[in-house]
Amino acid sequence: MTTTLLLDPDIRDWVVLPLFIIMVAAGLLRHSVSVLLQGNPSKAPAISARSSSLLRQTMKLQTGAAHYMTTWRWQCRKEHAIQTLRQEAEWAEAEQTRQSENGEASESADDPMSAMMNNPMSMMKGNMVFMVQNMVMMQGIQHFFSGFILLKVPFPLTAGFKSMFQRGLGAELPDLEPSYVSSVSWYFLVMYGLRSFLQLVIGDPPLEVREQSSKTMQYGYLPPGRTGQDGAAVAQQLRQEAENLEVFVQPHKSEFDSVEKRVLGVHRYPKRSKLTGPDSHDSLFANETTGNSKVKGGKKKSN
Amino acid sequence: MDTDADLETLVAQKDHVNVLRYLRVHQLRDPSLAVHHGQAALKQRSLSDVTRLAIYEQVALAALDLQDHTLADECLSKLREMGVEKESVRFRLLLGRCLEASGDTTGASQLYDTLLKENPANSVALKRKYCILKSQVGQEIATVAALNEYLQNNYSDPAAWSEMAKLRMEQGDFAKAIYAWEEVLLSAPTDPFVHVSIAECYTTVGGLDNLEQARKHFCQALELDASYRRAQFGLVVAANAYVEAASNASKKQLVDDFEVQVAKELVKFGAEQAIQAYKGTSMLASVQSLMQEYTEGVK
């Protein structure tokens, strides 16, 4: 049975719109607070900076740039890169053990555990703001705005949603359609919907701020809130890349080998009609009018 | 970038802050423009702190380019007035540049060394150390060592590899120059200049295998840019050198006649391309006679 309930317009004036405005304001406040609570940039661990740049360069061997040098040179470079990667992996591990023995600041850690150990406040600060605000608002809404139906969502919902969205509407009303929801659900709806809106409102930081973050990387620091990788993880990456390179096989020969043919054009490029070169003295293969030419006939047509 | 306008429009509109931003983003080196617009921008009151600091830095660097040390010192003191600490990394790097410009290279090196001790991953400090050594006479070995140190930490920087290649070419070590150019090639394979540089190194070293590589690289440069005159001339020279080397080859070397034929064709092709390029110019006659010499030689 479909019932159409008439809701008091005061609900709209005093609950729906104020809740919306409060949430926009809370979102902006949250953003400002998170900017203020941002930590300082931390030093980029020298090991990972050095090794990751080596990694980037060796990965270029697998790209299309391989077709701009001869196949042979590419293979030489590949072997050299594999060796270099392995040496660098050993260096990274040695550096890491040396650093931890000397007790140098290992602000670098890959897992959240060590991040928590080294910098106990960093993780808390980031999440805390959001969580605190969430808790406070939900408690506030349940205290102030409970006990009445807020609105009817324009799309039909299944019965499963009733327990979630109709909390506090005084012992489940079995006849009430699930589309009628309470204030808490409006809160959730708006919270998720406002994320993109807030991004639009807050907008991009000015160019100077963006430049600052890129300069931070150049000066050897990580942007605030990011942790680097420690030597063991980096060494693992390097070894993995060395394995990948070993297995990597170019499906075709380098395009560079045939560049002269392309530049001269197929017609102008000399044809290998006879066998020339070191075997040309060999009468068995060189002379095309012998009976053997049928076997070697294919050679005449190909170039 | 905040606006998509190009430089002329911004200058015409007297949009000082955005002119300076344009120069920074596109990395244009126009010091007089920067100083002029910077001084005008700083008179505006409505600038945010971040923008003001960035403009002071940009004007200081431009002043160094114009040898205006007073203006640079002024900018430094204004930065300190605005609350930048002495220990700030960015401020110290700017200070180092000012020291370098005024000739105090030892002071600057010490400053960069301190920065590197604090943070060995500071690539800007490594670059500046290299630049100081490069500007000094008679320090070739130290320059190469400094650049090597930079490259060890920043292996994937193509600009640094091309610096290394040029250094090696200056010192005459062409094999290492070729290695460095190939590292640049990995990052920028479709740049004809890189191919031409590699090919010229190969040609300078000489020898059958190297000249074959040189031919191929010149061809690749022509494939990428058919009007590249340096590649056209280089192709003629390299292919001709190949033919000569083949004819002078000792008995032990295996000469592939097919390759010699290819080389001859390349000489003719390169000559044709060069003459084509100079058609209608006053140099045509001299180019024709030059190419004649080469093509006569390979007939």
Side-chain angles (χ1 to χ4, degrees), chain A residues 43-44 46 49-50 53-54 56-57 60-61 63 65 68-70 73 77 80 206-212 215 218-221 256-257 259-260 262-264 268-272 276-278, chain B residues 2 21 24-25 50-51 54 89-90 93 118-119 121-124 152-156 179 182-183 185-187 189-190 195 202 213 215-217 219-220 223 258 261-262 265-266 268-269 272:
Chain A
K43 267 199 255 179
R50 174 175 147 163
S53 69
L54 174 66
R56 257 176 284 149
Q57 186 71 357
K60 288 178 187 165
L61 276 175
T63 65
Y68 287 88
M69 57 175 86
T70 40
R73 270 198 91 84
R77 273 197 174 262
H80 176 71
L207 183 73
E208 284 78 23
V209 175
R210 278 177 278 158
E211 277 178 356
Q212 175 68 15
K215 278 196 202 275
Q218 272 181 0
Y219 299 159
Y221 293 89
F256 187 74
D257 291 341
V259 67
E260 284 158 338
R262 290 199 301 275
V263 169
L264 281 176
R268 206 164 160 175
Y269 195 68
K271 293 185 177 34
R272 285 183 192 267
T276 54
Chain B
D2 293 333
R21 282 183 182 152
R24 279 205 305 265
V25 167
V50 196
T51 325
V89 174
R90 198 165 166 181
L93 283 169
E118 286 169 23
N119 188 353
N122 195 338
S123 55
V124 179
Q152 205 172 44
N153 281 318
N154 298 274
Y155 204 84
S156 62
Y179 181 84
E182 280 194 342
E183 293 281 352
L185 191 68
L186 283 176
S187 306
T190 52
H195 286 282
Y202 273 125
Q213 291 277 350
R215 272 172 23 202
K216 292 199 148 84
H217 276 287
C219 282
Q220 180 68 7
E223 194 188 13
F258 176 69
Q261 278 185 310
V262 175
E265 273 304 317
L266 285 173
K268 291 185 214 153
F269 175 78
E272 279 170 29

Side-chain angles (χ1 to χ4, degrees), chain B residues 16-261:
Chain B
H16 305 292
V17 178
N18 277 326
V19 168
L20 292 169
R21 282 183 182 152
Y22 190 94
L23 289 175
R24 279 205 305 265
V25 167
H26 294 265
Q27 297 188 328
L28 301 172
R29 194 169 173 176
D30 193 342
S32 42
L33 197 69
V35 168
H36 169 74
H37 283 277
Q39 285 175 323
L42 287 167
K43 297 206 183 84
Q44 296 170 351
R45 281 167 189 265
S46 59
L47 289 180
S48 67
D49 274 349
V50 196
T51 325
R52 198 173 277 271
L53 289 172
I55 293 179
Y56 274 127
E57 191 189 31
Q58 197 173 357
V59 170
L61 287 172
L64 292 178
D65 254 339
L66 297 172
Q67 300 282 332
D68 190 352
H69 297 287
T70 16
L71 181 57
D73 283 336
E74 242 181 70
C75 290
L76 282 178
S77 45
K78 283 269 166 57
L79 280 172
R80 293 277 287 126
E81 269 172 42
M82 281 190 71
V84 175
E85 294 144 31
K86 259 201 301 191
E87 288 82 32
S88 151
V89 174
R90 198 165 166 181
F91 181 75
R92 276 191 286 171
L93 283 169
L94 184 61
L95 184 61
R97 301 286 286 266
C98 294
L99 286 173
E100 274 183 63
S102 62
D104 184 8
T105 45
T106 22
S109 309
Q110 276 175 353
L111 184 69
Y112 294 134
D113 281 331
T114 333
L115 280 168
L116 281 171
K117 226 190 309 199
E118 286 169 23
N119 188 353
N122 195 338
S123 55
V124 179
L126 285 170
K127 269 196 243 194
R128 292 316 309 170
K129 281 190 66 176
Y130 161 70
C131 290
I132 292 176
L133 283 168
K134 191 176 173 196
S135 67
Q136 293 171 342
V137 179
Q139 294 273 23
E140 281 91 14
I141 303 177
T143 320
V144 169
L147 188 54
N148 266 324
E149 207 188 317
Y150 176 77
L151 277 172
Q152 205 172 44
N153 281 318
N154 298 274
Y155 204 84
S156 62
D157 187 357
W161 278 113
S162 68
E163 273 292 315
M164 177 58 102
K166 287 177 199 155
L167 258 188
R168 293 292 190 188
M169 279 167 78
E170 274 173 29
Q171 294 175 350
D173 195 340
F174 291 103
K176 299 201 179 98
I178 291 170
Y179 181 84
W181 278 124
E182 280 194 342
E183 293 281 352
V184 182
L185 191 68
L186 283 176
S187 306
T190 52
D191 186 4
F193 175 70
V194 179
H195 286 282
V196 164
S197 308
I198 297 182
E200 285 176 357
C201 288
Y202 273 125
T203 319
T204 318
V205 178
L208 264 182
D209 299 320
N210 292 332
L211 286 167
E212 193 179 331
Q213 291 277 350
R215 272 172 23 202
K216 292 199 148 84
H217 276 287
F218 277 127
C219 282
Q220 180 68 7
L222 282 175
E223 194 188 13
L224 292 167
D225 181 4
S227 66
Y228 202 170
R229 303 225 184 131
R230 200 161 157 180
Q232 288 162 356
F233 280 106
L235 181 60
V236 172
V237 170
N240 187 50
Y242 186 87
V243 172
E244 278 183 21
S247 60
N248 294 342
S250 63
K251 292 274 172 22
K252 286 194 216 147
Q253 281 177 307
L254 290 173
V255 175
D256 193 355
D257 286 337
F258 176 69
E259 290 289 336
V260 177
Q261 278 185 310

Side-chain angles (χ1 to χ4, degrees), chain A residues 158-169 172-173 176-178 180 182 184:
Chain A
T158 53
F161 288 102
K162 272 180 80 144
S163 58
M164 216 189 334
F165 287 146
Q166 287 176 357
R167 285 269 155 96
L169 289 184
E172 288 59 30
L173 303 166
L176 190 57
E177 284 176 18
Y180 290 98
S182 67
V184 177

Side-chain angles (χ1 to χ4, degrees), chain A:
Chain A
M1 186 183 76
T2 54
T3 52
T4 331
L5 297 174
L6 187 65
L7 297 172
D8 195 346
D10 277 344
I11 294 180
R12 178 198 63 211
D13 295 337
W14 291 101
V15 184
V16 178
L17 292 177
L19 246 190
F20 186 76
I21 293 171
I22 288 172
M23 291 184 69
V24 171
L28 292 171
L29 186 70
R30 187 174 60 225
H31 172 77
S32 321
V33 170
S34 66
V35 166
L36 283 175
L37 282 183
Q38 226 175 36
N40 290 325
S42 57
K43 267 199 255 179
I47 304 175
S48 91
R50 174 175 147 163
S51 306
S52 60
S53 69
L54 174 66
L55 201 63
R56 257 176 284 149
Q57 186 71 357
T58 47
M59 280 169 90
K60 288 178 187 165
L61 276 175
Q62 300 181 24
T63 65
H67 286 281
Y68 287 88
M69 57 175 86
T70 40
T71 326
W72 175 241
R73 270 198 91 84
W74 179 84
Q75 279 173 345
C76 291
R77 273 197 174 262
K78 193 181 92 157
E79 297 299 321
H80 176 71
I82 294 172
Q83 263 186 351
T84 319
L85 282 169
R86 295 214 164 112
Q87 279 174 355
E88 186 75 10
E90 280 171 18
W91 174 86
E93 283 175 345
E95 247 328 89
Q96 181 66 31
T97 41
R98 189 189 69 85
Q99 272 188 1
S100 46
E101 268 166 30
N102 289 355
E104 277 167 29
S106 45
E107 293 153 10
S108 57
D110 214 3
D111 45 341
M113 271 298 283
S114 355
M116 276 203 286
M117 297 297 186
N118 290 332
N119 199 2
M121 285 308 289
S122 70
M123 274 200 74
M124 288 177 62
K125 273 192 243 175
N127 299 340
M128 208 166 69
V129 180
F130 184 62
M131 295 227 165
V132 161
Q133 193 208 17
N134 231 9
M135 295 286 118
V136 166
M137 298 247 342
M138 274 189 60
Q139 290 303 317
I141 289 173
Q142 275 176 356
H143 180 72
F144 288 116
F145 295 129
S146 65
F148 55 87
I149 297 174
L150 185 71
L151 45 82
K152 179 180 193 287
V153 292
F155 43 86
L157 292 173
T158 53
F161 288 102
K162 272 180 80 144
S163 58
M164 216 189 334
F165 287 146
Q166 287 176 357
R167 285 269 155 96
L169 289 184
E172 288 59 30
L173 303 166
D175 285 343
L176 190 57
E177 284 176 18
S179 299
Y180 290 98
V181 299
S182 67
S183 332
V184 177
S185 63
W186 175 238
Y187 168 71
F188 278 117
L189 200 74
V190 174
M191 181 173 76
Y192 286 113
L194 269 184
R195 284 217 190 129
S196 328
F197 176 71
L198 283 176
Q199 266 179 3
L200 204 64
V201 166
I202 291 167
D204 282 331
L207 183 73
E208 284 78 23
V209 175
R210 278 177 278 158
E211 277 178 356
Q212 175 68 15
S213 59
S214 77
K215 278 196 202 275
T216 315
M217 305 257 303
Q218 272 181 0
Y219 299 159
Y221 293 89
L222 290 168
R226 257 210 249 162
T227 49
Q229 295 178 310
D230 80 324
V234 160
Q236 169 72 5
Q237 271 186 338
L238 290 168
R239 292 219 169 90
Q240 182 63 38
E241 184 60 24
E243 297 274 324
N244 290 349
L245 264 185
E246 259 187 327
V247 176
F248 186 79
V249 171
Q250 283 278 44
H252 307 286
K253 279 177 35 153
S254 165
E255 295 287 326
F256 187 74
D257 291 341
S258 54
V259 67
E260 284 158 338
K261 186 149 104 185
R262 290 199 301 275
V263 169
L264 281 176
V266 177
H267 299 291
R268 206 164 160 175
Y269 195 68
K271 293 185 177 34
R272 285 183 192 267
S273 49
K274 295 189 205 139
L275 257 187
T276 54
D279 282 337
S280 55
H281 62 278
D282 196 333
S283 60
L284 196 61
F285 294 111
N287 198 337
E288 59 190 9
T289 58
T290 63
N292 286 329
S293 68
K294 292 228 175 61
V295 176
K296 291 282 169 194
K299 269 239 179 275
K300 268 193 279 182
K301 297 205 181 68
S302 68
N303 39 351

